[in-house]
Amino acid sequence: MFYQRELRWAEEAEALKPELRHERISPVAVVKAEEDPAAWQGWRVRHVAAPEEVFGRELPRSWEYTFDFGRYCVGFPVFHFEFSGLFDAPFRLEVKLAEVPCELGRDFTTYRGDLGRGWLQEALVVEDTAPAEIRLPRRYAFRYLQLKVVVNSTYQVVLRNVQCDAVSAADWSCVTPPGEAYDQLDRSIWRIGLTTLAACMQECFEDGPKRDRRLWLGDLRLQALANYRSFRNFALVKRCLLMFAASADEDGGIPGCVYPGSPRPLAGNYTFDYSILFGDVLLDYVNASGDEAGGRDLFPVARRQSEIALREVENDCFHYRGGYWLFVDWQEKLDRECAGHGIVLYSLIRTLALAQRLGLESEVAEYPARIERMRRAGYAKWFDRARGYFISGADRQISWASQIWAAFAGMLPETEMRELLRRLVTEEEAVPPGGPFLYNQMVLVLERYGLHREAHALTRAFWGRMVELGADTFWEVFDPADPMRSPYGDPIINSHCHAWSTPLFSFR
């Protein structure tokens, strides 16, 4: 549908590929992973030496050291060695990298998760000549780095240094620190949130620098909002929008995620609720950057996603018939139909606002009437007056997701919706979020309805708990009641630095 334009969009996206900033980071301690039932996920690290006690000394034939870098690193590990004696056999070095102690402590051969083991971070280096420097060619994301040699040959080995050549597209000089009104916990949440965002800012906005290392539209929506209030890298957002546009299928639909590449990005995982919010992300970009020309160029893509979304609407109500992925949240027991209606309706509202911003109202002239009908129909079908909440499914389920997206879509008058949201945060019957992604949607909608105090309290309670548990970056999956929770069957495959976990209240 957009074939000729897709080739141009791909070329423009490639031209916007950022030049990454580099920083050399050195370890701060040598540690050992130990099981501890009292620790988060059952593992902790114990300090055993300073790096200087290992560097510069001749090592035994077999050795193992784990280095703690004291902070989260995304980049290329670099090792400096010195060899003496006859180099009569290859040098074999085993490398393991981990974001958190649990991952460091686990034997990767015991992994039984649903996703490919290749995401677990390990490497085997075999050198036939005595190298002064070994640089791993693959980028890794870690705090802990373990080096292991088993039965070296007769030559002597000295480890001179271990470093990470860290990379990011984020420019920290653009960031304004929080004001005096914020306390130490707020500042910690802000700092860790920025670190999370910066780690995910690579050649595109990745959802996780360990896993999946690709661009997801739902993650981009949250990353871009945080970026506008911090690093202000508008070019990287535009590159990502162009990558999605360049990946549209023959029907004009865009994927939920893309794998960076040239001449055109590779598409994958069509995700209904991600794709139809392209116009929402584009509107935020135009408003933040002032790039109206870019908005007009990509407006047909946004309008097409709304047209595709409306195929799932009958009698002005969204019907989830299956056959595609409607994500909404990692909550297994969630009924998604009411939330899906809110997302479709919100996508129309935002695409209309985009058209108005760009002077293109005539291209969506039917939207205002359609929006009003869908609001009325959604209220009539899903709002339970006696319970005071939107319900969904045969079991008349109350969930955070249904209320959040009904609020985004304006399915109640503003004063009534504000009161509903106030009640929701303490409603014991409501199905809660399955992780940080939906918590962030709640923060956004609370802010949208002027409930700043409630948004702040939620941020401190949820993200503050991760701070208390020692987070360096914010985790993809976090259930305070279940440390080992994973949507993928094994917690060591979880990402512990994830785009959708950047706390948006911290960037007000």
Side-chain angles (χ1 to χ4, degrees), residues 362-507:
S362 62
E363 298 193 27
V364 289
E366 74 282 10
Y367 277 27
R370 190 70 184 262
I371 288 168
E372 185 57 31
R373 292 200 308 271
M374 286 187 65
R375 276 183 173 144
R376 292 177 180 175
Y379 174 84
K381 180 173 181 178
W382 285 294
F383 189 68
D384 187 319
R385 295 175 180 82
R387 300 165 81 186
Y389 288 110
F390 288 87
I391 52 89
S392 189
D395 294 333
R396 303 180 65 78
Q397 179 190 86
I398 296 173
S399 70
W400 282 43
S402 293
Q403 317 314 311
I404 287 167
W405 286 106
F408 272 125
M411 288 165 60
L412 277 180
E414 186 171 332
T415 54
E416 293 180 41
M417 187 62 77
R418 188 179 294 114
E419 182 56 35
L420 181 155
L421 292 170
R422 278 200 184 100
R423 288 186 281 112
L424 178 62
V425 293
T426 57
E427 177 58 64
E428 294 182 359
E429 187 182 348
V431 175
F437 178 71
L438 194 61
Y439 273 102
N440 250 330
Q441 312 299 337
M442 185 63 167
V443 169
L444 279 177
V445 82
L446 287 171
E447 290 257 286
R448 183 155 300 186
Y449 280 84
L451 299 174
H452 305 300
R453 184 178 303 171
E454 289 81 356
H456 187 202
L458 181 62
T459 300
R460 288 172 64 89
F462 185 73
W463 281 271
R465 182 59 180 145
M466 279 189 267
V467 174
E468 293 170 359
L469 292 168
D472 301 299
T473 49
F474 288 123
W475 307 330
E476 172 191 19
V477 181
F478 178 56
D479 181 348
D482 184 4
M484 307 308 286
R485 184 175 186 274
S486 175
Y488 318 111
D490 193 321
I492 63 169
I493 203 71
N494 290 357
S495 167
H496 284 83
C497 175
H498 215 72
W500 70 24
S501 303
T502 303
L504 294 181
F505 184 85
S506 300
F507 302 96

Side-chain angles (χ1 to χ4, degrees), residues 300-325:
V301 182
R303 184 183 58 202
R304 184 57 179 164
Q305 307 322 302
S306 293
E307 293 168 354
I308 291 171
L310 286 171
R311 293 174 182 171
E312 306 304 315
V313 174
E314 183 178 331
N315 296 324
D316 295 316
C317 285
F318 170 76
H319 295 274
Y320 182 44
R321 303 176 178 89
Y324 55 84
W325 188 14

Side-chain angles (χ1 to χ4, degrees), residues 2-12 246 263-264:
F2 300 117
Y3 178 67
Q4 293 297 329
R5 281 175 285 184
E6 286 176 18
L7 296 176
R8 172 174 60 81
W9 288 332
E11 292 173 356
E12 292 178 4
R264 282 185 59 188

Side-chain angles (χ1 to χ4, degrees), residues 132-252:
E133 177 181 293
I134 295 175
R135 177 187 173 95
L136 298 188
R138 183 178 186 269
R139 172 166 57 82
Y140 291 90
F142 61 97
R143 173 169 172 169
Y144 305 102
L145 185 153
Q146 183 182 92
L147 301 180
K148 183 178 181 179
V149 170
V150 179
V151 191
N152 195 24
S153 193
T154 57
Y155 48 80
Q156 289 74 51
V157 180
V158 173
L159 178 60
R160 289 294 179 188
N161 203 357
V162 174
Q163 291 183 312
C164 177
D165 180 14
V167 292
S168 172
D171 181 357
W172 285 82
S173 68
C174 298
V175 177
T176 302
E180 296 180 359
Y182 295 96
D183 66 11
Q184 185 57 48
L185 178 58
D186 291 326
R187 292 172 181 274
S188 294
I189 294 171
W190 172 84
R191 174 182 52 80
I192 296 170
L194 272 183
T195 302
T196 304
L197 180 62
C200 296
M201 293 174 66
Q202 299 296 326
E203 291 187 353
C204 65
F205 278 98
E206 296 179 353
D207 65 327
K210 167 191 157 183
R211 204 221 81 240
D212 298 320
R213 295 173 58 152
R214 65 195 67 157
L215 171 64
W216 288 85
L217 187 54
D219 294 63
L220 175 63
R221 177 171 173 264
L222 301 177
Q223 287 172 294
L225 290 173
N227 168 67
Y228 299 145
R229 305 171 192 175
S230 56
F231 299 114
R232 298 180 63 78
N233 191 331
F234 301 118
L236 191 61
V237 180
K238 185 173 185 178
R239 167 171 159 78
C240 293
L241 289 166
L242 287 164
M243 288 168 66
F244 279 112
S247 303
D249 61 23
E250 293 181 358
D251 192 37

